[in-house]
Amino acid sequence: MKINQITLTDLRRMNGKEGLILQGCGGETQEWVDGINEMLTDKGILLDNTKFENVSVFQNDGVTCILYPFADVHLDIGKLAMWRLQSYTAFAGMWLSDYVDNRLSGFEPEQNKEEKLKPDCALIGCDFNIFNLMGIASRTLKQNGMAPFIPHFYALILDDSNKEERNLGMLAGLSMLWVCDAVWVFGDELTEGMKTEIRFTEKLNIKVRYISENDLRTSEVKNDKIKKN
């Protein structure tokens, strides 16, 4: 087991790496690491008998934080994302990349990649069925080297009338927001589920792109529809 003491500057030089940061980790670091290893193993998140053995500790505004890097472990990342959301009040867990972007003003400038422009998406005269629109948006993003994620996918494999399955689908969709660059909102009516996703998006400081029904009927969706929250 290796426990490293690092600075905030060290974190800002970790562009291209990913890990889990837990905040408010007072006391013995070894006890924290052993406890998290045991917990994530029991929940089927740490796989193939791997565990975190090379962690880093740092201080930010008087708060002790521990970075658990993903480089040397095998993870069920979907289960980890769900666990991080469910345990946020206890551990305030954040992905390394999100922590640096939101708490430390981003990675060091010379390491930043040029931000990709969001592509225009031609929708004039299209069938406005939600699944058809998702297909058009997905193809547009793919053609521009982006990877779309559509939470409506969970409506196809889960029972939305079942409260437990609906909550599972909502949590799964919210967990994916941590790795999104932007969120596109189609139509003029916002459901309660959409409002929940938008509020969470705003907390993560992710760009939201509002596309009204009028936009869909009369014009192409332009980049100036992007709003920074």
Side-chain angles (χ1 to χ4, degrees):
M1 173 68 65
K2 184 178 182 181
I3 299 176
N4 308 290
Q5 298 290 332
I6 62 174
T7 67
L8 300 182
T9 299
D10 293 326
L11 282 177
R12 297 191 65 217
R13 292 173 177 169
M14 292 184 181
N15 197 14
K17 298 181 180 180
E18 193 56 278
L20 175 68
I21 291 177
L22 301 186
Q23 306 176 68
C25 304
E28 292 293 329
T29 302
Q30 186 66 62
E31 292 181 5
W32 274 94
V33 176
D34 291 342
I36 293 298
N37 276 328
E38 181 179 357
M39 185 182 302
L40 298 187
T41 297
D42 291 344
K43 292 184 177 295
I45 296 173
L46 278 170
L47 306 175
D48 302 328
N49 295 318
T50 60
K51 60 182 180 180
F52 294 105
E53 295 183 333
N54 185 18
V55 304
S56 298
V57 180
F58 64 93
Q59 300 282 329
N60 190 8
D61 289 334
V63 176
T64 301
C65 306
I66 301 177
L67 167 62
Y68 297 80
F70 294 164
D72 299 319
V73 293
H74 295 166
L75 295 164
D76 185 321
I77 197 66
K79 287 184 178 180
L80 177 62
M82 295 287 287
W83 175 85
R84 189 193 56 74
L85 285 175
Q86 294 167 346
S87 64
Y88 187 82
T89 55
F91 303 120
M94 296 182 67
W95 304 133
L96 166 62
S97 53
D98 292 316
Y99 187 92
V100 173
D101 280 343
N102 291 290
R103 301 291 177 83
L104 305 179
S105 301
F107 293 99
E108 290 196 349
E110 63 269 20
Q111 292 181 304
N112 282 338
K113 295 180 179 179
E114 182 178 354
E115 183 179 359
K116 294 182 178 179
L117 293 175
K118 305 299 184 292
D120 291 340
C121 184
L123 298 172
I124 299 176
C126 292
D127 177 357
F128 300 124
N129 177 277
I130 183 61
F131 294 103
N132 182 60
L133 294 177
M134 289 192 298
I136 295 172
S138 297
R139 288 191 293 273
T140 299
L141 292 172
K142 183 178 178 181
Q143 291 166 2
N144 286 270
M146 302 177 185
F149 171 77
I150 303 169
H152 274 80
F153 164 76
Y154 291 106
L156 302 178
I157 62 173
L158 297 172
D159 183 358
D160 199 54
S161 64
N162 182 300
K163 184 177 180 180
E164 184 176 346
E165 291 198 12
R166 175 176 172 77
N167 288 338
L168 178 62
M170 285 295 298
L171 283 173
L174 290 173
S175 72
M176 294 302 298
L177 289 173
W178 289 92
V179 295
C180 291
D181 296 311
V183 169
W184 292 10
V185 180
F186 288 90
D188 299 328
E189 181 179 353
L190 299 180
T191 65
E192 288 304 312
M194 293 168 69
K195 292 177 182 177
T196 298
E197 291 177 336
I198 291 171
R199 285 194 295 267
F200 193 60
T201 299
E202 291 172 346
K203 289 182 179 180
L204 298 179
N205 199 33
I206 295 173
K207 296 175 182 177
V208 179
R209 188 176 192 176
Y210 292 94
I211 303 168
S212 69
E213 292 183 7
N214 184 62
D215 291 327
L216 295 175
R217 291 190 177 93
T218 63
S219 64
E220 291 186 347
V221 179
K222 295 296 184 180
N223 285 333
D224 59 11
K225 291 294 179 183
I226 296 179
K227 296 182 180 180
K228 183 67 175 295
N229 291 287

